[in-house]
Amino acid sequence: MMESKSPVCNTCGEEIGVKPNGEFFVACHECSFPICKACLEYEFKEGRRICLRCGNPYDENVLDDVETKTSKHQSTIATHISNTPQDSGIHARHVSTVSTIDSELNDEYGNPIWKNRVDSWKDKKSKKKKKHPKATKDEDPDAQVPPQQHMEDISLNPEAASATDVLSVVIPIPRTKITSYRIVIIMRLTILALFFHYRITHPVDSAYGLWLTSVICEIWFAFSWVLDQFPKWSPINRETYIDRLSARFEREGEQSQLAAVDFFVSTVDPLKEPPLITANTVLSILALDYPVDKVSCYVSDDGAAMLSFESLVETADFARKWVPFCKKYSIEPRAPEFYFSLKIDYLRDKVQPSFVKERRAMKRDYEEFKIRMNALVAKAQKTPEEGWTMQDGTSWPGNNTRDHPGMIQVFLGYSGARDVEGNELPRLVYVSREKRPGYQHHKKAGAENALVRVSAVLTNAPFILNLDCDHYVNNSKAVLVGQDVCYVQFPQRFDGIDKSDRYANRNIVFFDVNMRGLDGIQGPVYVGTGCVFRRQALYGYSPPSKPKMLPQSSSSSCCCCPSKKKQTQDPSEIYKDAKREELDAAIFNLGDLDNYDEYERSMLISQTSFEKTFGLSAVFIESTLMENGGVPDSVNPSTLIKEAIHVISCGYEEKTEWGKEIGWIYGSITEDILTGFKMHCRGWRSIYCMPLRPAFKGSAPINLSDRLHQVLRWALGSVEIFLSRHCPLWYGCSGGRLKWLQRMAYINTIVYPFTSLPLVAYCTLPAICLLTGKFIIPTLSNLASMLFLGLFISIILTSVLELRWSGVSIEDLWRNEQFWVIGGVSAHLFAVFQGFLKMLAGLDTNFTVTSKTAEDLEFGELYIVKWTTLLIPPTSLLIINLVGVVAGFSDALNKGYEAWGPLFGKIFFAFWVVLHLYPFLKGLMGRQNRTPTIVILWSILLASVFSLVWVRINPFVSKTDTTSLSQNCLLIDC
């Protein structure tokens, strides 16, 4: 594939062309913003004469004649793609799973098979081809994804942003804020180096073990801080203008040019994830402010529960009333449970007299809908001995949740039920993949991959948006994706959290600080929900403008003794690269599969080895070649459901690349981090979108025990990735497509659970120092005092400047710091041991679904304390440190005023631990001190035993030579 040297237009993606004198066409001479003549003429026609990048006006004489510069190769293939605009650009993609196709590119005589076969098919097509009956539909430019809909990374000033209809702009952090922030980071790093030099060169001989333990812990904390801090080196602000999306692509009297989107909603256990919550999520999707023919909602029921199926039937029926009501009166949010519970003036901005009457009627209908849903839940509490039976008398296929066939039911759609006003509704599809004993189903990741294949067969939208069942659409206009972007991640926002956010459930520091820092590098990490994917990125393709791989040397040499031998590429690598180019060319020429008969199409798919990558489904494989989405015209609509059932069979993924290179990646219960990491390694970038009105909202476990179990699952997933072949420490290093700051961020996501080991030891040190009378730091000199003071000041300044550019409150920062300690000494500690047990002994840990229910009392669940072993370590640390404080004060009282000076440092150290664990202590006591007795007994027992054993052994106190002491006593003349 030859690539043109002409720059590409930032708006339409075509070449900008050249002027008659041979020079490239330049619209703006200030910043050389790449835009072609056609797009510039459109901008002038719309009255926009300001550069999109710098905001300066265009030159009036810029629109001279321009000739398009194309390569010979492009002119050769122009006739081949002239009738297939839907698949233009397919040549820009690359298959990253080339290891599965290298052996399939030669025929039996060892010669490349592509050139002759494709040329013969192309000649045959040019002679025999007639326009397909649906060709007019394919040639409609509306079928393509408009390049202008892409979220563009354009940095421009506010005047330029307001003067154009750009959908998104990148606004860097003001230089005054970011420069001082970086200076303080470097200053803190320098002080840390001096601090460790002092700590290592000044050991405490009287408590050498305590000193060594503290130094090792502090070095790990510094390493952890570096991994967390430097990915925030170049944070950015991104402003989105979602309200302009509809104005630009939905012009009155014209067909909508918005791209289609497939929504994924996943659920497992309807008793832990109430059907009413899932129903609200589905209703908010169906009521989106988006063309109904471009929205499809797929609900994955991985528990094959009849309750989920029946609740979806009720939801589809209620949607016929709810959807037109939302669109008629512009309701926000469009989840009825949360809309009717809003404590606001719902009459604001409403001018239609019928609104009050219809709102009351709709609220009554919703309450009746809730009653019906509650009745279904009540009936499902006790399963009949013979299993569930459907209304027609047949047995429910999913009675055995571990052994049942695949199930698909389309409730709404283009030809299905309409709303009460006679309008079409978005498609709603129930999916439960097949499960059989002896097959590995890969939990949520496997369910998501099943939805990818089903949606590709039925609708094949170019974009996919996945949501957890408890995350509803809060902003009905938030659907954007950019060019070269694998996904757009939205921050998670939550309802029902107490104002103090005791357990840092909102994760404000992560979503408003860390993620914005990553957005300035290669993009945010994927967090599992609220994410818009480009379907082609999930298929393992590399981005159109793939970064060049770093050159790899075949011979080793060091920096001081460079090799003089000329570095040459391995012949085998040259051969593989040539084969990849042939494959890319073949894929490019396969864009119009409808021109081939069934035999040629099946042969073509087989020869490209797509079956080894995507599985044995010709319909699905054809859909992967359609970059702009849509169902292939060659497919018989009557066979789509049968084909969809086939692609969710439990054996479909056998001997394919599903879960290895394409789709959601297997190997960890936190499949989200792993999936995003693989995409970034291929060279894709992601975008962090933070609209003023949150795009999605969900519920979080505000209960202490549930919150710790949630953190345990995340930490265990990180440990699994660390122990897998996808560890960011080494995976993808040879490719050179993952930026080093991005890699540092991914390393931080997998090593943070291991911080629990030094953290537990460090939180134990204050109690030991108070009980033994020793300390980890020798008597400080004036220079050492200044060094310690400088370290504390640099820590404070870093936090203050971070708060300044991010807008995060100091309370959120403190809550995050507290829960870092609480989670570190409990959930993270257990995750490390469980991860190693799973690797060494094969002991798997069952995934615990976090309960989404709550008590009727506001924040009532906050005060519930459930027994879990995760509560024992932090409780023990609290008791040990409190006992140490009492012992320290008692010892100081006995020794006199000279002992009070050294005591203050130890007391400060102990109170640092107690203050960080205070939210845990508050949650442990509950509203009425209803702490489980077993927790108190185990904690007191462990703390007492540890203290008594420590006093008896006294390992860190230097031993006295009793022989010399007795001899000295004999010399004394009494």
Side-chain angles (χ1 to χ4, degrees):
M1 296 278 298
M2 297 178 60
E3 295 183 359
S4 173
K5 298 181 180 180
S6 175
V8 177
C9 175
N10 195 81
T11 303
C12 65
E14 300 294 335
E15 295 184 6
I16 63 173
V18 296
K19 295 187 290 188
N21 58 5
E23 297 179 355
F24 291 124
F25 176 70
V26 179
C28 178
H29 296 283
E30 296 292 334
C31 65
S32 300
F33 180 67
I35 185 172
C36 65
K37 179 183 176 184
C39 294
L40 186 63
E41 288 178 345
Y42 176 78
E43 294 290 323
F44 277 25
K45 182 180 178 181
E46 295 293 320
R48 298 185 292 269
R49 299 175 178 268
I50 298 178
C51 177
L52 297 176
R53 174 179 291 172
C54 64
N56 293 317
Y58 290 119
D59 185 3
E60 296 293 336
N61 300 323
V62 74
L63 290 176
D64 296 330
D65 293 334
V66 180
E67 60 181 5
T68 304
K69 180 181 179 181
T70 56
S71 63
K72 294 181 180 180
H73 180 76
Q74 290 172 324
S75 62
T76 303
I77 63 178
T79 56
H80 181 76
I81 63 173
S82 59
N83 294 323
T84 59
Q86 185 178 9
D87 293 319
S88 63
I90 200 77
H91 63 286
R93 296 174 289 130
H94 301 264
V95 177
S96 64
T97 55
V98 291
S99 60
T100 64
I101 51 182
D102 288 340
S103 62
E104 298 292 329
L105 295 175
N106 294 345
D107 60 9
E108 59 183 353
Y109 299 101
N111 298 320
I113 65 175
W114 286 111
K115 185 175 180 181
N116 295 333
R117 177 169 299 192
V118 173
D119 289 343
S120 63
W121 280 341
K122 188 164 57 177
D123 294 337
K124 177 182 177 181
K125 179 184 65 177
S126 60
K127 295 178 181 179
K128 298 172 59 180
K129 177 184 172 184
K130 293 183 180 180
K131 280 193 174 182
H132 195 276
K134 298 183 180 180
T136 305
K137 178 180 178 181
D138 290 342
E139 293 176 358
D140 188 356
D142 295 343
Q144 300 187 22
V145 180
Q148 295 91 342
Q149 187 179 343
H150 297 160
M151 178 179 286
E152 303 161 349
D153 284 339
I154 302 176
S155 300
L156 63 154
N157 52 45
E159 290 79 7
S162 60
T164 66
D165 55 354
V166 177
L167 300 178
S168 171
V169 296
V170 174
I171 301 178
I173 304 295
R175 185 171 298 178
T176 55
K177 294 182 179 180
I178 198 64
T179 302
S180 57
Y181 178 63
R182 292 172 177 172
I183 291 175
V184 170
I185 292 175
I186 299 300
M187 181 182 69
R188 181 174 173 181
L189 198 62
T190 304
I191 295 175
L192 269 176
L194 297 175
F195 170 79
F196 284 121
H197 178 267
Y198 170 80
R199 292 283 281 135
I200 295 173
T201 56
H202 292 77
V204 182
D205 296 331
S206 60
Y208 189 81
L210 291 175
W211 167 83
L212 183 61
T213 302
S214 65
V215 170
I216 293 174
C217 294
E218 289 163 0
I219 291 175
W220 179 267
F221 294 153
F223 171 70
S224 179
W225 170 78
V226 169
L227 291 179
D228 180 71
Q229 186 65 65
F230 278 90
K232 297 181 285 188
W233 184 261
S234 301
I236 62 173
N237 290 321
R238 189 183 299 275
E239 289 190 5
T240 55
Y241 307 98
I242 298 178
D243 55 326
R244 300 177 181 174
L245 186 68
S246 179
R248 175 182 273 191
F249 299 107
E250 290 187 299
R251 302 183 183 277
E252 186 177 356
E254 299 180 4
Q255 185 179 1
S256 173
Q257 297 182 5
L258 293 172
V261 183
D262 288 337
F263 287 78
F264 293 173
V265 179
S266 56
T267 181
V268 180
D269 188 349
L271 297 181
K272 292 184 178 180
E273 299 169 327
L276 187 62
I277 294 180
T278 305
N280 273 270
T281 300
V282 172
L283 289 170
S284 67
I285 295 173
L286 298 179
L288 272 172
D289 190 7
Y290 213 76
V292 295
D293 59 329
K294 297 180 182 292
V295 175
S296 300
C297 179
Y298 293 84
V299 180
S300 170
D301 176 20
D302 217 32
M306 187 173 174
L307 173 58
S308 299
F309 180 82
E310 291 182 334
S311 64
L312 209 59
V313 174
E314 293 288 347
T315 303
D317 184 63
F318 179 73
R320 299 178 61 247
K321 303 176 183 177
W322 174 251
V323 172
F325 172 74
C326 291
K327 295 187 175 182
K328 181 178 180 180
Y329 297 108
S330 301
I331 299 300
E332 293 287 356
R334 300 194 174 180
E337 181 70 23
F338 300 95
Y339 169 70
F340 289 121
S341 62
L342 288 177
K343 298 178 181 179
I344 60 173
D345 181 13
Y346 62 85
L347 296 178
R348 181 181 299 175
D349 301 329
K350 298 296 187 294
V351 296
Q352 296 163 293
S354 60
F355 172 69
V356 175
K357 182 179 179 180
E358 291 192 26
R359 185 183 186 276
R360 290 174 180 171
M362 183 55 61
K363 187 174 183 180
R364 183 175 61 252
D365 290 339
Y366 178 65
E367 290 173 350
E368 294 175 355
F369 168 70
K370 290 177 66 175
I371 294 296
R372 295 194 297 270
M373 296 289 283
N374 292 338
L376 292 176
V377 174
K379 186 181 73 172
Q381 296 297 322
K382 186 177 181 180
T383 305
E385 295 182 0
E386 65 278 5
W388 297 107
T389 304
M390 295 186 289
Q391 292 183 353
D392 59 357
T394 59
S395 178
W396 171 247
N399 278 325
N400 188 344
T401 58
R402 298 183 179 181
D403 188 2
H404 64 84
M407 295 176 283
I408 296 178
Q409 177 65 47
V410 181
F411 291 104
L412 304 174
Y414 317 134
S415 60
R418 295 176 177 262
D419 63 26
V420 293
E421 297 180 359
N423 300 317
E424 290 184 358
L425 289 169
R427 178 174 292 184
L428 176 61
V429 184
Y430 169 87
V431 179
S432 181
R433 57 181 173 144
E434 181 186 19
K435 288 189 176 182
R436 302 296 182 190
Y439 287 91
Q440 182 63 260
H441 300 294
H442 303 289
K443 301 177 181 178
K444 181 181 177 181
E448 295 288 348
N449 284 337
L451 289 182
V452 171
R453 297 190 294 271
V454 169
S455 61
V457 171
L458 298 181
T459 52
N460 196 33
F463 300 130
I464 293 172
L465 196 156
N466 82 296
L467 290 172
D468 287 343
C469 66
D470 61 330
H471 277 69
Y472 64 91
V473 180
N474 186 64
N475 187 337
S476 61
K477 302 178 183 295
V479 178
L480 292 173
V481 168
Q483 204 168 22
D484 290 1
V485 174
C486 52
Y487 59 84
V488 175
Q489 179 64 62
F490 292 85
Q492 293 185 18
R493 301 297 188 224
F494 302 99
D495 291 317
I497 297 178
D498 58 302
K499 294 181 180 179
S500 63
D501 193 12
R502 181 184 295 177
Y503 308 122
N505 284 280
R506 293 190 177 93
N507 288 326
I508 294 296
V509 174
F510 175 75
F511 287 113
D512 289 14
V513 179
N514 296 70
M515 296 287 269
R516 287 166 65 185
L518 292 176
D519 199 15
I521 308 173
Q522 200 171 339
V525 298
Y526 168 45
V527 296
T529 184
C531 187
V532 184
F533 280 99
R534 181 180 295 277
R535 186 181 287 270
Q536 293 294 315
L538 285 171
Y539 290 158
Y541 293 115
S542 295
S545 55
K546 181 174 62 177
K548 294 182 179 180
M549 296 176 61
L550 296 177
Q552 301 294 321
S553 174
S554 58
S555 59
S556 60
S557 61
C558 62
C559 58
C560 57
C561 300
S563 175
K564 295 183 179 180
K565 186 183 294 185
K566 185 177 179 180
Q567 297 179 0
T568 58
Q569 190 176 5
D570 189 359
S572 63
E573 292 296 327
I574 297 177
Y575 176 78
K576 289 182 179 180
D577 290 340
K579 293 303 177 185
R580 289 167 189 164
E581 291 179 1
E582 291 177 7
L583 179 62
D584 292 336
I587 293 175
F588 169 73
N589 285 283
L590 299 184
D592 192 7
L593 289 175
D594 294 338
N595 298 309
Y596 310 123
D597 57 33
E598 184 177 356
Y599 173 75
E600 291 173 337
R601 186 162 51 248
S602 62
M603 286 293 295
L604 197 57
I605 291 173
S606 177
Q607 289 294 340
T608 57
S609 191
F610 279 174
E611 290 179 349
K612 292 185 177 181
T613 302
F614 297 111
L616 300 174
S617 173
V619 175
F620 175 76
I621 292 175
E622 286 189 39
S623 71
T624 64
L625 300 177
M626 305 180 68
E627 187 176 18
N628 296 316
V631 179
D633 294 329
S634 60
V635 176
N636 185 358
S638 61
T639 64
L640 287 181
I641 294 296
K642 182 179 179 181
E643 191 69 23
I645 292 289
H646 168 61
V647 298
I648 62 172
S649 59
C650 56
Y652 183 83
E653 295 183 355
E654 294 292 322
K655 298 181 180 180
T656 67
E657 294 299 315
W658 283 102
K660 302 174 185 176
E661 298 294 336
I662 62 177
W664 270 258
I665 306 302
Y666 304 149
S668 171
I669 57 176
T670 52
E671 71 289 329
D672 45 7
I673 296 294
L674 203 52
T675 302
F677 172 65
K678 292 277 286 188
M679 291 181 178
H680 283 139
C681 286
R682 296 189 189 107
W684 288 96
R685 63 185 179 91
S686 55
I687 279 179
Y688 195 50
C689 183
M690 297 179 65
L692 294 178
R693 180 180 180 86
F696 311 100
K697 278 190 175 183
S699 60
I702 63 175
N703 175 275
L704 175 61
S705 303
D706 289 342
R707 171 68 166 147
L708 289 178
H709 274 288
Q710 182 187 55
V711 175
L712 171 64
R713 185 176 69 88
W714 295 342
L716 180 58
S718 296
V719 175
E720 289 175 342
I721 297 175
F722 177 81
L723 300 174
S724 71
R725 70 182 186 91
H726 293 112
C727 180
L729 287 170
W730 53 76
Y731 183 84
C733 291
S734 61
R737 298 168 192 164
L738 188 68
K739 298 182 179 180
W740 68 274
L741 281 179
Q742 191 80 16
R743 182 177 297 277
M744 186 179 292
Y746 275 111
I747 293 174
N748 186 44
T749 62
I750 65 162
V751 302
Y752 78 89
F754 297 95
T755 306
S756 60
L757 299 175
L759 186 60
V760 169
Y762 209 69
C763 289
T764 310
L765 288 178
I768 298 176
C769 292
L770 288 167
L771 292 172
T772 60
K774 305 299 180 180
F775 199 41
I776 60 176
I777 299 174
T779 303
L780 297 179
S781 62
N782 292 335
L783 181 61
S785 300
M786 294 297 294
L787 188 60
F788 275 79
L789 184 61
L791 180 61
F792 283 117
I793 292 177
S794 66
I795 293 174
I796 295 173
L797 284 178
T798 305
S799 301
V800 169
L801 293 177
E802 200 167 87
L803 297 179
R804 186 184 174 197
W805 67 256
S806 65
V808 175
S809 68
I810 190 171
E811 182 181 7
D812 291 325
L813 185 66
W814 174 238
R815 290 298 186 207
N816 181 78
E817 185 75 13
Q818 286 180 311
F819 198 78
W820 173 75
V821 176
I822 295 172
V825 299
S826 57
H828 299 172
L829 182 65
F830 278 77
V832 172
F833 287 107
Q834 288 184 14
F836 278 100
L837 283 175
K838 182 177 180 180
M839 180 190 69
L840 298 176
L843 298 178
D844 198 2
T845 304
N846 292 327
F847 166 59
T848 302
V849 179
T850 306
S851 176
K852 309 298 191 299
T853 59
E855 292 184 351
D856 294 334
L857 182 65
E858 186 178 15
F859 310 131
E861 191 182 0
L862 178 67
Y863 306 103
I864 299 176
V865 181
K866 303 175 183 178
W867 157 245
T868 172
T869 53
L870 298 177
L871 301 177
I872 294 179
T875 306
S876 301
L877 287 174
L878 274 171
I879 294 176
I880 291 175
N881 279 277
L882 292 176
V883 169
V885 170
V886 174
F889 275 110
S890 301
D891 185 63
L893 289 172
N894 293 330
K895 291 183 178 180
Y897 69 93
E898 294 182 354
W900 287 96
L903 178 64
F904 285 142
K906 304 171 187 176
I907 293 295
F908 174 80
F909 199 7
F911 271 108
W912 177 88
V913 177
V914 174
L915 284 176
H916 279 78
L917 294 177
Y918 177 71
F920 173 83
L921 177 62
K922 195 173 180 180
L924 194 65
M925 303 307 294
R927 170 172 286 181
Q928 299 175 354
N929 299 338
R930 295 177 297 178
T931 305
T933 307
I934 187 66
V935 174
I936 298 177
L937 291 178
W938 270 103
S939 301
I940 293 177
L941 179 62
L942 289 177
S944 302
V945 171
F946 180 80
S947 301
L948 292 174
V949 171
W950 188 271
V951 172
R952 179 67 181 88
I953 298 175
N954 205 7
F956 293 131
V957 178
S958 58
K959 304 298 182 181
T960 304
D961 190 354
T962 57
T963 304
S964 61
L965 182 61
S966 60
Q967 292 177 355
N968 292 334
C969 291
L970 292 175
L971 296 176
I972 298 176
D973 187 4
C974 298

